[in-house]
Amino acid sequence: MEMNDLPAYCLATAQAAREASYQLATIDTEIKNRWLSESAIALKAAAAEIVEANQLDLAAAPGYGLTDAAIDRLRLDSSRIDAIAGALLEIAALPDPIGEVLDGFTRPGGLQIVKKRVPLGVVFFIYESRPNVTADAAAICVKSGNAVILRGGKEAIHSSRAIVNVLSRCAEQVGIPAAAVQLVQTTDRAAVGEFLGMSNLIDVTIPRGGEGLIRRVAAEATMPVIKHYDGNCHVYVDKDADISMAATIIENAKCQRMGVCNACESLLVHRDIAAKALPVIAETLSRHGIEIVADAESLSHLPGASLATEDDWSAEYLGPKISVAIVSDVMEAVKHINRYGSHHTDAIVTNQIRTAEIFTSAVDSSAVMVNASTRFNDGGVFGLGAEIGISTDKFHARGPCGMRELTTYKYIVKGDGHIRT
Amino acid sequence: MEMNDLPAYCLATAQAAREASYQLATIDTEIKNRWLSESAIALKAAAAEIVEANQLDLAAAPGYGLTDAAIDRLRLDSSRIDAIAGALLEIAALPDPIGEVLDGFTRPGGLQIVKKRVPLGVVFFIYESRPNVTADAAAICVKSGNAVILRGGKEAIHSSRAIVNVLSRCAEQVGIPAAAVQLVQTTDRAAVGEFLGMSNLIDVTIPRGGEGLIRRVAAEATMPVIKHYDGNCHVYVDKDADISMAATIIENAKCQRMGVCNACESLLVHRDIAAKALPVIAETLSRHGIEIVADAESLSHLPGASLATEDDWSAEYLGPKISVAIVSDVMEAVKHINRYGSHHTDAIVTNQIRTAEIFTSAVDSSAVMVNASTRFNDGGVFGLGAEIGISTDKFHARGPCGMRELTTYKYIVKGDGHIRT
């Protein structure tokens, strides 16, 4: 779509979202769930037109330089549309966070105070090309009472538009404002900058994508951002660890899926157990073809490894490589993790309760694992329900972010002519 | 204090705070409370030296152009030092938010997940000249497990330094790192800019002071900020209001204390009740010498009033002036409030449950009052305990902010060699 006046278009979009958000704040759970179930039906009914739109994206994909794997993720067929519809029904089945009473008290004099969970308002969601994310994000935002402005990747623009048309039409049918779900109708990058300046109309921005995009968004945004840059996750093998458990956990954390943010990138080993543990761990990793870079002291126990550089301690390899260092105790491990890590997910392997306690208290990360793989840090695995992102910040939300993390609260105070004296 | 290398000084201060924060995260409630009670004793014991330091501030005060009222607020004597010590004991008596388990579940396979409340880490607190705030803020931050960097006004620098010396010495005595409480030792304004750039070392900035300072901090800060700019609070008198209750609430909201952020600045009246209500309200306000500016329609019911300008709807007068407008229904009142208000505190006077429900749902403010004065929005009045600030943002914390608002959470996950399959 050509935009003659991009700033005016973006402003109108955000204002419509803000207006819709005020209506959404008062809409009943039943209506929101009806929207989700009607949308699930309507998406399946519109499968032919969605697939047709998807063909346009697939045709353009080679021109965008997409890999075969990326093209496959972009492709929609009726079974994938069924899956998208199924995800909407799963979100319908989750409890509505809105209206939850978080606290309440009657004050001397009879003033009644209730602290109630309410929507954040307007969410600006920036994401990559997978079209299923369009439906998921819309569902999570609207079910939690928020209007959403979706900025999808240009690679999926036709597919996303077809999906949003259905969601928006169903919204109107059940009595939710159509502007509760809006897709940015231009792929012009300047539109992102426009929205990021609107702190009065947008309550939170959630960027998902490469680190470069996320850093740009965090730097430009005038409103809060829910984000994580990377996942440099550690496993620390304590002197009191079970070595075979340690090897199994490291194997899983490093090798089960390498390209994800909760995969292990760095291994720390207590000096007293290094000579015994490192050969066992190295042997396990070598079966997966993992390259090891290590500090000078570890190298003597790791014949195939090469010397790590300072940059390795901060690196997120997202592939078959791991860094290894020896530490003298749990606090040295903690300091290393807090200094070089991403505050994402870090694990200890130990049989000592006190050591585990020190580690879990002092490691400054969204999730800290004891005798478990870093790979478990995931909203679905935790049982938190649908997830819109993950936060390595400490403000507002930390770790997996679902519907509850898209809410705030307000105090509602009821009197009977009460005045302050 | 002269600073040869301001950036290095600020960096060292923030690094010391970060180090202290990691230790503080593991310190027991009993130790933190002991620090508070020992500090209370030590402050009283050091009264003479604190008063001596205060004399230096008082001597410099006329040079800073302080008013008599401001100089009075700056003055310390033994009874005021007793009050400062008493406030520390009150904070010791409050429950420790740290360690609270917010949620927990055992997942299929036996993985145990706990969501635990933990400190934010390092707080940068910027405030004005009243020296009691130095002790209060230090107590709230450290009791909630945070290290604090205090940037007090230059007008109270000697008094604040004397107080912080005591707090810091007592910290070391009980086993809390001295750097848990640090006062910025220079009054150079550039120091604030240095700290605001350190998002890796400081977790939150809380500015208290004039709107100019707060806007500067919000614009420059690279970390989250807890703040409110102003308080343009509304009272809406519905068609189903008790007129005498409305007049009493408006009188209290406007006149009980005019210079505060939860005072009423704007009055909205339903058209159907305006002819009856406005003369009664105007009569009440006139007894307090309040100037009224009003929209054209209201003017006919308000003989002494003058015509409001567009700027009046957004104005925070903090003095004997109020703006008045007529609206056609509760949603028009809501829209006016959401457009022109500060998202701080807004009230409705009505006898209709449904109207109150619409108003409390749709007004986008930290506290919404029904048949009660706006003046009640206050952490102490709500019974939340000691307050470090108030937030009109919706992210992280909203409304009065106490110790709980200086915390975040982390997930602690315990397995027995669990791996993800």
Side-chain angles (χ1 to χ4, degrees), chain B residues 328-389:
Chain B
S328 55
D329 63 12
V330 63
M331 274 314 289
E332 196 180 316
V334 166
K335 281 178 185 165
H336 181 106
I337 290 168
N338 286 342
R339 176 170 177 193
Y340 295 109
S342 307
H343 308 289
H344 193 296
T345 313
D346 300 285
I348 184 173
V349 186
T350 187
N351 291 318
Q352 285 291 327
I353 289 178
R354 273 201 57 79
T355 313
E357 198 60 35
I358 292 169
F359 189 85
T360 55
S361 297
V363 166
D364 193 19
S365 297
S366 80
V368 187
M369 311 301 193
V370 178
N371 297 333
S373 170
T374 55
R375 290 278 294 114
F376 284 114
N377 189 3
D378 176 286
V381 171
F382 280 11
L384 303 181
E387 190 177 308
I388 195 161

Side-chain angles (χ1 to χ4, degrees), chain A residues 99-122:
Chain A
E100 189 188 342
V101 172
L102 302 172
D103 217 342
F105 11 83
T106 302
R107 299 294 299 159
L111 201 68
Q112 293 174 48
I113 300 172
V114 161
K115 183 179 178 182
K116 211 175 195 178
R117 197 186 284 285
V118 299
L120 275 174
V122 176

Side-chain angles (χ1 to χ4, degrees), chain B residues 30 103 339 348 411:
Chain B
E30 202 190 339
D103 217 340
R339 176 170 177 193
I348 184 173
Y411 289 95

Side-chain angles (χ1 to χ4, degrees), chain A residues 48-358:
Chain A
E49 77 191 54
I50 294 171
V51 167
E52 201 177 316
N54 185 244
Q55 296 296 326
L56 298 175
D57 290 330
L58 291 172
Y64 292 134
L66 260 58
T67 62
D68 287 352
I71 292 175
D72 180 61
R73 284 194 296 271
L74 181 58
R75 188 182 310 279
L76 291 178
D77 54 27
S78 65
S79 87
R80 285 193 174 173
I81 293 171
D82 284 357
I84 291 173
L88 299 189
L89 297 179
E90 279 174 33
I91 292 168
L94 292 172
D96 186 345
I98 300 307
E100 189 188 342
V101 172
L102 302 172
D103 217 342
F105 11 83
T106 302
R107 299 294 299 159
L111 201 68
Q112 293 174 48
I113 300 172
V114 161
K115 183 179 178 182
K116 211 175 195 178
R117 197 186 284 285
V118 299
L120 275 174
V122 176
V123 177
F124 178 37
F125 183 59
I126 307 170
Y127 59 105
E128 293 162 320
S129 52
R130 275 163 50 204
N132 61 312
V133 176
T134 300
D136 275 1
I140 294 172
C141 290
V142 173
K143 169 93 183 223
S144 55
N146 297 285
V148 62
I149 300 170
L150 297 160
R151 161 65 178 210
K154 62 181 179 310
E155 302 83 356
I157 185 77
H158 298 94
S159 315
S160 291
R161 199 176 283 151
I163 291 168
V164 168
N165 283 347
V166 173
L167 298 178
S168 207
R169 197 175 63 225
C170 290
E172 279 196 301
Q173 281 166 11
V174 302
I176 291 176
V181 181
Q182 295 181 92
L183 181 75
V184 179
Q185 295 292 340
T186 168
T187 55
D188 189 339
R189 291 186 67 178
V192 172
E194 291 291 328
F195 288 115
L196 293 179
M198 299 179 187
S199 61
N200 56 331
L201 294 173
I202 296 173
D203 296 291
V204 64
T205 293
I206 306 178
R208 247 162 51 177
E211 196 179 328
L213 168 76
I214 297 170
R215 292 205 178 271
R216 178 198 159 195
V217 167
E220 273 188 47
T222 55
M223 70 289 291
V225 176
I226 292 178
K227 64 176 194 303
H228 74 278
Y229 293 127
D230 59 359
N232 176 19
C233 303
H234 297 74
V235 176
Y236 165 59
V237 181
D238 185 49
K239 71 177 167 60
D240 297 305
D242 175 320
I243 290 174
S244 104
M245 183 195 287
T248 307
I249 286 175
I250 291 154
E251 179 183 29
N252 185 258
K254 178 70 240 176
C255 310
Q256 196 237 353
R257 228 177 123 193
M258 297 202 196
V260 291
C261 60
N262 57 16
C264 173
E265 306 289 8
S266 198
L267 169 64
L268 303 175
V269 181
H270 193 290
R271 177 165 296 120
D272 295 356
I273 203 174
K276 276 192 179 171
L278 280 175
V280 178
I281 295 165
E283 153 66 19
T284 306
L285 292 175
S286 76
R287 276 187 268 121
H288 297 270
I290 307 292
E291 177 193 347
I292 298 177
V293 292
D295 67 352
E297 188 177 349
S298 309
L299 277 184
S300 57
H301 310 295
L302 296 165
S306 54
L307 191 64
T309 66
E310 176 71 12
D311 285 349
D312 280 306
W313 309 124
S314 311
E316 185 191 31
Y317 302 118
L318 296 173
K321 189 171 177 185
I322 194 167
S323 65
V324 178
I326 286 176
V327 294
S328 55
D329 63 13
V330 63
M331 275 313 290
E332 197 181 316
V334 165
K335 281 180 184 163
H336 180 105
I337 290 168
N338 286 342
R339 176 169 177 194
Y340 295 109
S342 306
H343 308 290
H344 193 296
T345 313
D346 299 286
I348 183 173
V349 185
T350 186
N351 292 318
Q352 285 291 325
I353 290 178
R354 274 202 56 78
T355 312
E357 198 59 36
I358 291 169

Side-chain angles (χ1 to χ4, degrees), chain B residues 110-168:
Chain B
L111 200 68
Q112 293 174 49
I113 300 172
V114 162
K115 184 179 177 183
K116 210 174 197 178
R117 197 186 284 286
V118 301
L120 276 173
V122 176
V123 178
F124 178 38
F125 184 59
I126 308 171
Y127 59 105
E128 292 162 317
S129 53
R130 276 161 51 204
N132 61 311
V133 176
T134 300
D136 275 2
I140 292 171
C141 290
V142 173
K143 169 93 184 223
S144 54
N146 297 286
V148 63
I149 300 170
L150 298 159
R151 163 65 178 210
K154 63 181 180 309
E155 303 83 354
I157 186 78
H158 297 94
S159 314
S160 291
R161 198 175 285 152
I163 291 168
V164 168
N165 284 346
V166 172
L167 298 179
S168 204

Side-chain angles (χ1 to χ4, degrees), chain B residues 27-42:
Chain B
I27 281 174
D28 201 80
T29 307
E30 202 190 339
I31 308 267
K32 295 186 283 190
N33 287 343
R34 197 180 307 151
W35 169 66
L36 289 165
S37 54
E38 295 286 331
S39 294
I41 295 167

